[in-house]
Structure formats: C-alpha cells, structure tokens
Amino acid sequence: MTKKGDRVVLIGSGAVGASYAFALLNRGLVKELVIIDKNTDKAKGDALDLNHGLPFVSPITIWDGDYSDCKDADIVVITAGASQGPGETRLDLLGKNSKIFRGIVEDVMTSGFNGIFLIATNPVDALTYATWKFSGLPAERVIGSGTILDTARLRFLLGQRLNVDTRNVHAYIIGEHGDTELPVWSHANIGGLRIPEYLATHQDITIEPAEFDQIFANVRDAAYQIIKLKGATYYGIALGLAKLTKSILRDERSILTVSARPQGEYDLEDIYIGLPAVVGRSGIKEILYIDLNEEEKKQLHHSASVLRKANQSIML
Ligand code: NAD
C-alpha cells in the first residue's frame, strides 16, 4: 500500500503495546499504525477495535500487518515479550526476551527497515543494546525507554509532596531501568529553585531528609507495587512512549532520560543506560552531561557494571 505519512509499526500488542496504540490514536500523532503480534488474533482484534474509534479522532490508517510493513516505517516500537511476574526482577526476563528479540530484529531488518527503533520490553537497557548489535543501525537510531517512567514517577511524587505542578519538577532518575537506578538529587529543582531553596521559601511544607530516600524507594519499587495490585504496569509507559514518538516525529528535541549509548560521556562506553538525552527526528542527538556528585557517579558506575554483565550474557 502507498505510504500516507508517518508510519509506526508496533510489535507486541499486549498491555503496554495496546495502551501505546490507544495513546497514539488519541494524540493524532501518526498517519499509519501497523500492529504485529505473534498472537495474530490479538493484533487483528486490536486493529479492528481501534479502527472503530476513527470517527472520533484525526485520520489514521490502522491494520494488523507483517514484517514487510517495516520497510516503510519511520519508527518500529517493540513491546513484545514476557513481562515481570510478582517478585520477578526485570533482569530475570533477559534469557527469554533476548531470544525473542534476536528473531524480531532480524525479521525487521530483512524488510529493509532504515528508521528508528524504540524499545520498551524489559530488561530495557540490555535489550536496547541487543537491538543495536543485532540490527547494525547507528546507535543514535536505537533508543530505549530507559528511565523515562522512573523519572515521571519521581516528578509525580515530588510534585504531590511539595504541592506543585509535576511539570515544574525537574529531577531525573538515571542508570538501569531497574533495581540499581539512582536519583540525581544534586541537580533536582522546582522551577529553577534547588529543593532546599524551595523548602526555605515554603515553610508550610515540613519534610524530613529521610522522606526523600523514601520517595526514591517508592519510585524504584513502583513496578513491584503495581504488579502486586493489578498484575502489570502499562498506562504510564504507554504515555511515555507516545511522548518519545512525538519528540522524534516532530523533531521536538525534548530532553528525556532514555536508554542511550554514551561514547565517553560520564566515563561510560559500549553500553546502553538511562541518561538525559536530546531526542529528535534523527534519534538521539546528544547525551546531556550533568556534573554529578561523587556518590552519584559511583552509583551510576555500579549500575553500568550490572548492565555490562547482562549484555555479556546476551552476546555469548
Ligand atoms: P503482555 O504479556 O501483555 O504483552 C506482550 C505481548 O508480546 C503479547 O501480546 C505477546 O503475544 C507478544 N509477543 C511475545 N512474543 C512475541 C514475538 N516473538 N513476536 C511478536 N509478539 C510477541 O506484556 P506487557 O505487560 O505488555 O509488557 C511487555 C513488556 O514491556 C514486558 O517486557 C514488560 O516488562 C515491559 N514493560 C516495560 C516498561 C518500561 O518502563 N520500559 C514498563 C512496563 C512494562
């Protein structure tokens, strides 16, 4: 079929994938959405269901497709694979999901795809690295969702506790999207005011230093809590993926904590890890350098060492 405009191919129409498809539709972000899932009934059912909403949104063509549709895709988004069960860590999924990825990435590349990969399946940093290796595409065109969700969770919790719009909270979670991630407290600010300055001018808010540690623990462990409550997390990441898609297709140059491949930044290389980066039409345009304090640097390097081990186990 002749291409009508920006095309996204979604691979994996489970809880995360279907929520992302719905978010794309609501925002009128693309002209073509192709859904692929190994469960072909699920892909067909989702395409039909979403098509029935077309009278209420901007024009878009949606179909359940196959890998040949990737040839003309601007972005291929992968949310396929196993998800965490109760008590399971993200890294526990590596064995199963890296095998799935080898097949998927090979099929996408065989189509002649030459766009941008966006990866959300866990463990996301290791699978983004694997996608880069398997695809042979330039590193800036292989992007993982990294710690975008963790950063969003931190901004939400801080905004709630400090009684301010979460969009005016500027604070990052970086490192592995997983148990070794870390908050960058040294540069966290509310509308330009460092947190201590903000608190000094808002004496109605009393907050003990230990409460910040608890806020971070709640961010880090949020997935475990949600999985215990309802089996999976999907709306938050789906909106994050939609934002990433918009930033790419509209060349917004948004700064997002994606899984990116540093080339010496933060003394890191040959790894994908969550770092603030400028995202636009050509993919990752730049990794932003933040002057971390010594403790933050140590924690980031610890996180990187855990990811390096995971990467080695995939490539064996
Ligand atoms: P799900 O089980 O609901 O959906 C997975 C889908 O992948 C299923 O529809 C399945 O049929 C499909 N699939 C499996 N193997 C496939 C293959 N080879 N080809 C095509 N389709 C295939 O799972 P979910 O809740 O949607 O989670 C998906 C992934 O996203 C998990 O790895 C989960 O951990 C991850 N996740 C990531 C984040 C993040 O912040 N990056 C957040 C939430 C979930």
Side-chain angles (χ1 to χ4, degrees), residues 14-16 37-38 79-83 100 120-122 145 149 177 233 237:
V16 173
D37 196 291
K38 79 165 187 206
T79 61
S83 55
I100 292 175
T121 305
N122 279 317
S145 58
L149 179 57
H177 171 56
T233 83
I237 185 60

